Amino acid sequence: MPTILVKSGGEAAMPEWQRHFAEFAPDLAVRWWDDGAVAPDAVDYVLAWDPEAGRLGGLPNLKVIFGSGAGVDGITADPALPRHLPLVRMAPEGATQRMGEFVCWAALSLLKDARRMALNQAMAQWQDFEPERTAAETPVGIMGLGNMGSRACAMLQGLGFPVRGWSRTRKDLPGVRCFTGAAELDDFLSETRILVCLLPATVETNGILAAPLLAKLPRGAGLVNAGRGSHQKIEDIIAALDAGQLSGAVLDVFEKEPLPAGSPAWAHPKITVTPHVASLPSRRERAQYVARVIADFTAGRPLANLYDHARGY
Ligand code: NAP
Ligand code: GLV
């Protein structure tokens, strides 16, 4: 019987994983990552978010590695990662829908200044104010037009936002003004009133949400980061908020997670903190996705959503 080791959600999540895999891949043995009864050479597949460095390389019959998220930087950080094996990024249908919902919520929160209303409510203050613009007057710029970004574009358009997008290679998405590469980044930013980061963590994107980029946005722009904490320099974001260059930020990801109690982001009046929940597909959705890819692999069909070591995502 083929075996998958799972390290996602802790050992306590195993009964749930086993229940869902039993539905979609009844012939798969589903075992906890640290189950000492499983011999390393009996492991065919791994599903993990952040395996300890060196562990994957010690599984001689491993065939496919599954990231339990869309971003697999917690796996590729392993210097001894077996690079010859397929590394599959998580992309069930529900994940892009959830991200689209999060981005729409964040964009509307910034548009309506929901943070200000929440602070006023906490102080029992009835203070009416008018949002400066409508959605139709607020271009949203999405950095990253992959699985997550392209779905977010379509859902934002449904709310009436004009949408612009930026990616590494040229894209053509219905109704979206598309920009490509470093040469077109400034043009992309210049009319983006709400900037949304849905990039993967790579050498090129590391620290991209910093003072030089923020200065290129129109004054008073909003920021949403649902990519990775490594994309942002939090002190630059706070400085831009305090100076009025940014009017608000919704941050879902942080350099250190959980966000430490002492972080100035927690209490900042213009920052909404969410605990890395922009798109968390259910374990059932993920088990179904993994089972489908294992069926493809077993049948010799090509695998979708593979990590590409050359491009870094
Ligand atoms: P994806 O399908 O691989 O899309 C990545 C996009 O980023 C592509 O459009 C790619 O351009 C673009 N890109 C990469 N490097 C770039 C660069 N240097 N300059 C400009 N564009 C660049 O990935 P995805 O599934 O949409 O996920 C994207 C990221 O979202 C993940 O890696 C993860 O960090 C984050 N995420 C976060 C959560 C959360 O809950 N917060 C959930 C899911 C994902 P091309 O199209 O030209 O290749
Ligand atoms: C979550 O952050 C993911 O990459 O899926």
Side-chain angles (χ1 to χ4, degrees):
M1 192 184 240
T3 296
I4 186 167
L5 288 188
V6 179
K7 183 180 191 271
S8 178
E11 191 172 8
M14 288 310 294
E16 195 187 337
W17 282 118
Q18 283 159 340
R19 193 169 71 249
H20 297 314
F21 274 113
E23 180 181 355
F24 299 113
D27 295 332
L28 190 63
V30 182
R31 311 294 286 271
W32 166 234
W33 174 249
D34 280 324
D35 185 338
V38 182
D41 63 359
V43 178
D44 300 278
Y45 308 106
V46 160
L47 168 63
W49 170 255
D50 56 351
E52 298 90 339
R55 282 282 301 275
L56 294 170
L59 304 172
N61 294 320
L62 188 59
K63 297 172 180 65
V64 183
I65 304 165
F66 292 91
S68 79
V72 291
D73 38 298
I75 296 174
T76 56
D78 179 354
L81 178 71
R83 290 164 62 99
H84 62 287
L85 294 178
L87 169 54
V88 179
R89 304 173 306 160
M90 189 59 62
E93 169 74 6
T96 54
Q97 172 67 21
R98 285 166 207 263
M99 181 60 86
E101 291 167 3
F102 182 90
V103 170
C104 288
W105 165 80
L108 286 174
S109 295
L110 290 168
L111 184 73
K112 300 293 183 194
D113 206 348
R115 176 78 174 134
R116 180 167 161 192
M117 288 192 267
L119 290 172
N120 285 344
Q121 181 177 350
M123 295 183 294
Q125 276 190 13
W126 183 275
Q127 190 191 86
D128 61 345
F129 58 91
E130 271 182 41
E132 203 180 328
R133 293 183 173 77
T134 64
E137 296 163 330
T138 309
V140 179
I142 309 274
M143 305 177 86
L145 296 174
N147 293 325
M148 299 292 159
S150 54
R151 182 65 166 261
C153 285
M155 291 173 70
L156 284 164
Q157 285 174 312
L159 293 172
F161 287 101
V163 181
R164 312 151 70 76
W166 182 67
S167 53
R168 193 177 56 83
T169 59
R170 182 75 51 201
K171 292 283 172 300
D172 182 14
L173 299 176
V176 179
R177 183 136 183 240
C178 292
F179 299 80
T180 309
E184 295 178 16
L185 180 58
D186 289 7
D187 277 353
F188 163 74
L189 295 169
S190 66
E191 287 177 36
T192 287
R193 298 218 65 98
I194 296 178
L195 180 67
V196 180
C197 178
L198 292 176
L199 291 166
T202 68
V203 174
E204 288 78 29
T205 63
N206 187 38
I208 192 167
L209 302 177
L213 178 142
L214 300 176
K216 290 172 182 158
L217 292 166
R219 188 165 174 79
L223 173 69
V224 180
N225 186 11
R228 281 289 180 266
S230 60
H231 291 138
Q232 73 201 14
K233 290 221 160 68
I234 190 72
E235 59 283 5
D236 289 11
I237 291 172
I238 289 177
L241 287 164
D242 292 345
Q245 173 58 15
L246 287 179
S247 55
V250 177
L251 305 178
D252 183 57
V253 286
F254 296 89
E255 191 86 59
K256 187 160 174 17
E257 296 178 359
L259 183 63
S263 168
W266 280 117
H268 196 285
K270 292 181 178 171
I271 297 180
T272 298
V273 170
T274 56
H276 201 144
V277 291
S279 170
L280 269 184
S282 69
R283 295 198 176 108
R284 186 173 186 276
E285 286 170 288
R286 283 181 279 174
Q288 183 176 27
Y289 182 80
V290 170
R292 201 166 60 226
V293 177
I294 290 178
D296 286 341
F297 177 75
T298 309
R301 292 188 286 269
L303 305 188
N305 278 308
L306 289 179
Y307 177 82
D308 178 332
H309 287 274
R311 64 179 195 178
Y313 62 96

